[in-house]
Amino acid sequence: MKNYDIKKRKTLAENIKLFEIEAPLIAKNAKPGNFVILRIDDHGERIPVTITDSDVENGTITIVVQEVGKTTKKLGMLNEGDKILDVVGPLGRETEIKNYGTVVCIGGGVGIALIYPEIKAFKKAGNYVISIVGSRTKDLMIFEEEISKMSDEFYITTDDGTKGRKGFVSDVLKELIDDGKKIDIVMAVGPIIMMKVVADVTRPYGIKTIVSLNPIMIDGTGMCGGCRVQVGGNTMFACVDGPDFDAHQVDFDNLIARNKRFLEEEKVSLEGLKNG
Amino acid sequence: MADGKKKIPKLSYPMPQQDPKERIKNFDEVALGYDMEVAIKEAERCLQCKREEGKEICIDGCPVEIDIPAFIKCIREERMEDALNIIREKNNLPAICGRVCPQEQQCQKYCRLGKGKGRDPVSIGRLERFVVDYSVKKQSVDPLKKKDKKVAIIGSGPAGLTAAGDLAKLGYNVTIFEALHDTGGVLRYGIPEFRLPKSIVDREVEYIKKLGVNIETNVVVGKTIGMDELIDEYDAVFVGSGAGSPMFMNIPGENLNGIYSANEFLTRINLMKAYKFPEYDTPIKVGKVTAVIGGGNVAMDASRCALRAGAERSMIIYRRTEEEMPARKEEVEHAKEEGVEFHILTNPVRYIGDEKGNVKQIECIKMELGEPDESGRRRPVPIKGSEFLMDVDTVVVAIGNTPNPLIPDNTKGLKISKKGTIVVDDNGKTSIDKVYAGGDITTGAATVISAMGAGKKAARAIDKFLSS
């Protein structure tokens, strides 16, 4: 089944690229919340990437990747027609989609693309969908059109105020709550610190909040516990028990620390790529 | 029986090995194997016992019943190809078995020569290994007559590869579905290069492919393909998905940085080749002092990998005594030769980290042995007030694995035990008609050879089921 051809490649913003990859079995079974593990070449590492969209008819899945280290940079250098050596999925539990009433979906940075499948699914399930998306600056804003089309209310924030309102996604969420907006569930995908802040905002109000966690993974099938996270005092494997968890139960500080495990090695690796 | 006048050496011929001081600097194979001359000499020690009613011989100790006296006879006569064919008839992965089987508990335990006082049994494992390594280039496969029936195998570990090989030899169209990007299961990600070179695994997998078996990697059954789809599309299904879910002790601090499960540690090293970082992209961090928790083969593998990956000190922390260690004696010896320190009757209570969340100390408690438990081994009991601290940089938790729940959780109507294993009858048949299972998914974590035995048995049962 070595047919992981890159069918389409598109630059969405600086260092953020979209790929459509031929993987018919994955496309057929992918649900919102699922991810794949990919390995670019023989010497490559395995990295987890969220499935942003899938096209059963064409047998493709869509992923959106931000270039942050060696592997994502190497991926970014691949072109249409190139192949990825290994793509396995769909992995992880799917997001629990049903008609909750009013859903607030929050995406930060590349997380804006990653929460798109949930936004679509929540809308389809009959929810009133409020989307709040945030990026550092206007040039990094992605998936604006797609998300606005699927949302009943749509808010954009940028850290520097170059697009939408100046500030953070959590500021908008707080305002909605303060305005007395009835919110049944909040889902947030993005940098850990953003998800942590969202959890802190909703906690005093008892609003159910789901986050999609992004720990370091190796196999992605529950075999090694490299992705373990502390949730409600228990150890969970994000790849099989998640990646979605109740935000109010997650130990974010432990996750932040664990994701820094290989910081030095990641730098060495990236330097190696730059120096050819 | 051998000629009574001919004197049989009491001890078996030793196998050359890499010097411990040298070998801890590399991942090359420790045991170097017999050469032809020594192999023939060792083969000449064999008494050529016949299998008779009421008399147990080496064959009875082999889970796949290789005709051992027959292949040893071929070695004596320098008919290596014949020797290989005799082995291959029963065993699809002999280069692996010759290396990782606990022969002292199997074939060699039954060797009649070894029953004599002060005598070693014939080194059957070393001879099996010699035959396969010697004949590697001459492995040909006769074209097989194909049947029009299809069998799906889940998992390319020892159970799946064995079942696939046997079914292919019987003419079935066999497809193996493997979740990882490479084949072999624990042979690939678990057992290190210095015990089982991956080129050997490649070679054995090539042989299985030559038999006509199709292998699909990157397919997680239960996710990429539904179990129900496989049951619909294939005439029979064999589940050999193993016990690959790591156990933790659930003690405070276990999620600190620097604490790995043995599966993560070994997968990074063996499958991802992190010991060659940055030539390979997967990193691993091994500090100066590494502690491995546990006393099985996996713990020995991890402790020895740690030394090779740069640890200055590597320690085993085990709650019972060396006598109760489930690891093979040979592996314990090898670890000791290489300088691994053994802390027995010791158990971790909690881990202590620094301000960055890295592990820096283990608090351990001393243990003593009490009454035997359900495993028959004496139960370790903590000695009150005996807590003490050890400084460490890296910890590897190697206290065991449980069955991977992916298949059990995603298969309707499959009977599962309380331990999460798939329930099977004597023939490996599950509660679903067309579905068979074997290896660690039915027994919990066990040995490579018992998984192979289960694969063999299930293949026989599947053939019977499909022929009726």
Side-chain angles (χ1 to χ4, degrees):
Chain A
M1 249 165 258
K2 297 273 180 254
N3 53 347
Y4 311 109
D5 283 333
I6 297 174
K7 289 287 176 193
K8 187 177 154 190
R9 170 195 193 263
K10 196 175 152 193
T11 301
L12 301 182
E14 197 192 348
N15 292 335
I16 301 180
K17 294 196 173 81
L18 175 148
F19 296 92
E20 267 179 40
I21 301 166
E22 184 165 29
L25 284 177
I26 304 175
K28 196 174 133 196
N29 292 309
K31 301 272 183 348
N34 287 152
F35 62 94
V36 291
I37 294 263
L38 56 85
R39 191 173 74 123
I40 294 173
D41 55 42
D42 187 44
H43 282 39
E45 61 179 340
R46 297 168 63 99
I47 62 160
V49 183
T50 301
I51 302 169
T52 292
D53 211 344
S54 56
D55 184 332
V56 182
E57 218 164 281
N58 289 323
T60 58
I61 57 166
T62 302
I63 58 170
V64 174
V65 178
Q66 183 170 24
E67 293 168 22
V68 290
K70 181 176 182 183
T71 299
T72 45
K73 285 231 187 294
K74 256 160 69 178
L75 182 62
M77 290 177 211
L78 296 182
N79 290 309
E80 285 172 15
D82 287 342
K83 282 179 200 297
I84 297 174
L85 185 60
D86 297 298
V87 182
V88 59
L91 301 171
R93 286 186 200 277
E94 59 190 274
T95 303
E96 214 181 316
I97 302 288
K98 58 180 184 184
N99 191 342
Y100 293 93
T102 299
V103 182
V104 175
C105 292
I106 303 175
V110 73
I112 301 171
L114 310 188
I115 200 168
Y116 174 62
E118 275 88 0
I119 291 173
K120 231 164 61 170
F122 281 130
K123 183 69 203 160
K124 209 174 151 200
N127 290 284
Y128 183 83
V129 177
I130 301 171
S131 300
I132 311 170
V133 299
S135 63
R136 225 168 54 232
T137 181
K138 77 171 186 339
D139 296 336
L140 293 174
M141 183 51 61
I142 55 173
F143 266 62
E144 204 182 314
E145 209 186 304
E146 289 91 335
I147 291 176
S148 102
K149 243 192 269 171
M150 289 291 160
S151 310
D152 296 284
E153 290 177 38
F154 182 54
Y155 301 92
I156 293 180
T157 70
T158 44
D159 298 5
D160 62 2
T162 46
K163 180 149 206 170
R165 53 170 294 176
K166 185 173 159 55
F168 301 116
V169 283
S170 48
D171 301 339
V172 177
L173 175 65
K174 208 157 186 303
E175 267 180 33
L176 291 173
I177 295 171
D178 289 343
D179 287 350
K181 177 81 82 181
K182 178 186 147 294
I183 299 171
D184 297 292
I185 185 170
V186 172
M187 174 146 196
V189 182
I192 303 173
I193 190 69
M194 179 275 258
M195 295 192 283
K196 185 185 175 183
V197 171
V198 166
D200 289 341
V201 168
T202 57
R203 190 177 287 111
Y205 302 93
I207 301 170
K208 183 175 171 174
T209 304
I210 305 295
V211 283
S212 177
L213 300 184
N214 52 352
I216 293 171
M217 289 187 187
I218 302 108
D219 65 290
T221 61
M223 201 183 91
C224 79
C227 67
R228 64 195 192 272
V229 288
Q230 276 173 219
V231 182
N234 299 311
T235 293
M236 308 283 241
F237 292 180
C239 70
V240 287
D241 300 320
D244 291 357
F245 291 100
D246 178 346
H248 298 148
Q249 302 290 322
V250 171
D251 183 339
F252 286 102
D253 294 336
N254 181 248
L255 177 60
I256 290 169
R258 283 186 64 77
N259 273 8
K260 289 184 182 159
R261 267 187 290 166
F262 298 104
L263 224 50
E264 295 154 38
E265 288 78 5
E266 284 160 14
K267 268 186 211 146
V268 169
S269 209
L270 186 57
E271 282 307 309
L273 180 71
K274 280 181 187 158
N275 301 331
Chain B
M1 297 290 269
D3 184 352
K5 285 170 207 155
K6 199 169 159 190
K7 202 162 165 21
I8 295 173
K10 284 193 170 184
L11 301 180
S12 69
Y13 289 86
M15 182 159 55
Q17 292 187 351
Q18 264 202 84
D19 186 277
K21 285 196 203 79
E22 279 307 310
R23 74 189 193 224
I24 57 167
K25 293 181 210 153
N26 64 54
F27 274 80
D28 299 342
E29 194 169 17
V30 167
L32 301 170
Y34 282 159
D35 60 19
M36 178 68 99
E37 191 191 340
V38 178
I40 291 172
K41 279 197 213 161
E42 181 67 23
E44 279 170 351
R45 295 181 67 237
C46 174
L47 301 173
Q48 289 290 306
C49 306
K50 294 275 174 306
R51 218 177 177 188
E52 294 161 27
E53 191 90 16
K55 180 178 146 187
E56 282 183 325
I57 63 166
C58 51
I59 304 175
D60 299 287
C62 173
V64 296
E65 297 186 15
I66 296 174
D67 191 345
I68 295 163
F71 93 73
I72 290 184
K73 188 160 181 279
C74 294
I75 298 177
R76 289 180 183 185
E77 294 162 7
E78 291 190 51
R79 292 189 288 123
M80 291 306 170
E81 218 166 314
D82 294 341
L84 182 64
N85 287 337
I86 290 168
I87 295 171
R88 283 271 188 230
E89 200 181 301
K90 293 289 169 70
N91 189 339
N92 293 317
L93 311 165
I96 290 162
C97 286
R99 286 173 166 83
V100 305
C101 272
Q103 289 103 5
E104 66 278 7
Q105 292 158 32
Q106 298 173 347
C107 52
Q108 291 174 197
K109 189 180 169 186
Y110 288 79
C111 173
R112 301 197 73 81
L113 180 67
K115 303 275 183 204
K117 208 178 165 207
R119 282 182 193 277
D120 282 345
V122 176
S123 292
I124 300 166
R126 292 173 188 171
L127 290 176
E128 180 184 24
R129 170 187 162 148
F130 170 74
V131 169
V132 191
D133 287 359
Y134 181 85
S135 314
V136 59
K137 286 178 194 116
K138 293 172 192 158
Q139 282 186 105
S140 61
V141 176
D142 297 331
L144 299 158
K145 227 191 228 161
K146 283 280 177 196
K147 296 187 167 110
D148 62 348
K149 293 206 165 125
K150 302 197 294 181
V151 183
I153 309 267
I154 302 166
S156 70
L161 288 175
T162 301
D166 279 8
L167 287 163
K169 282 177 183 170
L170 291 165
Y172 293 98
N173 297 290
V174 182
T175 301
I176 300 181
F177 296 97
E178 166 58 48
L180 287 173
H181 61 257
D182 209 345
T183 50
V186 74
L187 307 171
R188 181 78 59 182
Y189 72 77
I191 303 175
E193 190 83 23
F194 55 81
R195 264 212 307 135
L196 178 63
K198 299 311 138 202
S199 56
I200 301 281
V201 180
D202 287 339
R203 209 167 81 191
E204 297 291 54
V205 171
E206 268 320 300
Y207 173 76
I208 301 288
K209 281 188 191 164
K210 272 190 200 164
L211 294 171
V213 173
N214 171 35
I215 303 179
E216 301 282 359
T217 51
N218 294 329
V219 178
V220 186
V221 174
K223 293 281 180 188
T224 314
I225 296 184
M227 186 67 177
D228 45 347
E229 288 176 69
L230 288 186
I231 295 173
D232 277 353
E233 282 177 30
Y234 288 80
D235 297 294
V237 178
F238 173 77
V239 185
S241 54
S245 196
M247 282 156 65
F248 286 95
M249 292 175 73
N250 297 315
I251 55 176
E254 216 168 13
N255 294 334
L256 285 165
N257 289 349
I259 305 181
Y260 301 85
S261 75
N263 280 1
E264 178 183 355
F265 191 73
L266 293 172
T267 298
R268 283 180 181 274
I269 289 177
N270 299 326
L271 177 71
M272 307 310 297
K273 302 208 172 3
Y275 64 92
K276 292 187 183 169
F277 179 86
E279 183 195 340
Y280 282 75
D281 292 339
T282 303
I284 190 151
K285 224 175 197 152
V286 182
K288 283 185 181 148
V289 183
T290 298
V292 178
I293 318 299
N297 287 321
V298 174
M300 297 308 135
D301 286 345
S303 71
R304 298 171 69 195
C305 279
L307 286 176
R308 286 161 173 81
E312 286 170 14
R313 286 178 62 203
S314 179
M315 305 184 281
I316 290 278
I317 296 179
Y318 183 56
R319 60 194 184 136
R320 292 180 161 105
T321 71
E322 206 179 304
E323 193 136 316
E324 288 84 18
M325 276 191 182
R328 288 182 70 189
K329 288 270 175 300
E330 189 185 310
E331 300 310 323
V332 174
E333 285 315 312
H334 279 157
K336 282 185 175 170
E337 282 170 17
E338 291 169 10
V340 174
E341 301 165 31
F342 283 66
H343 296 263
I344 54 156
L345 291 169
T346 304
N347 210 27
V349 183
R350 69 182 172 117
Y351 298 100
I352 300 160
D354 63 15
E355 66 290 342
K356 284 182 176 164
N358 298 321
V359 66
K360 61 170 188 181
Q361 283 181 313
I362 315 179
E363 185 178 314
C364 288
I365 192 162
K366 283 292 194 185
M367 311 291 277
E368 58 190 351
L369 292 183
E371 293 301 306
D373 63 11
E374 61 276 6
S375 77
R377 296 179 300 175
R378 292 174 66 194
R379 189 190 302 272
V381 186
I383 302 171
K384 256 192 199 146
S386 67
E387 290 90 347
F388 65 101
L389 294 173
M390 291 171 102
D391 291 342
V392 293
D393 306 305
T394 304
V395 175
V396 181
V397 182
I399 58 163
N401 289 308
T402 56
N404 192 318
L406 259 173
I407 308 268
D409 283 358
N410 288 294
T411 312
K412 279 176 229 118
L414 194 63
K415 202 172 159 200
I416 308 297
S417 77
K418 272 187 213 147
K419 287 179 176 168
T421 54
I422 297 178
V423 178
V424 288
D425 69 11
D426 287 345
N427 294 315
K429 189 177 163 299
T430 69
S431 54
I432 302 174
D433 230 11
K434 286 159 77 174
V435 181
Y436 292 73
D440 286 2
I441 188 69
T442 62
T443 56
T447 60
V448 167
I449 187 68
S450 65
M452 291 177 48
K456 196 162 209 49
K457 201 192 270 180
R460 210 177 291 153
I462 289 170
D463 178 44
K464 209 171 154 194
F465 164 70
L466 294 179
S467 308
S468 64

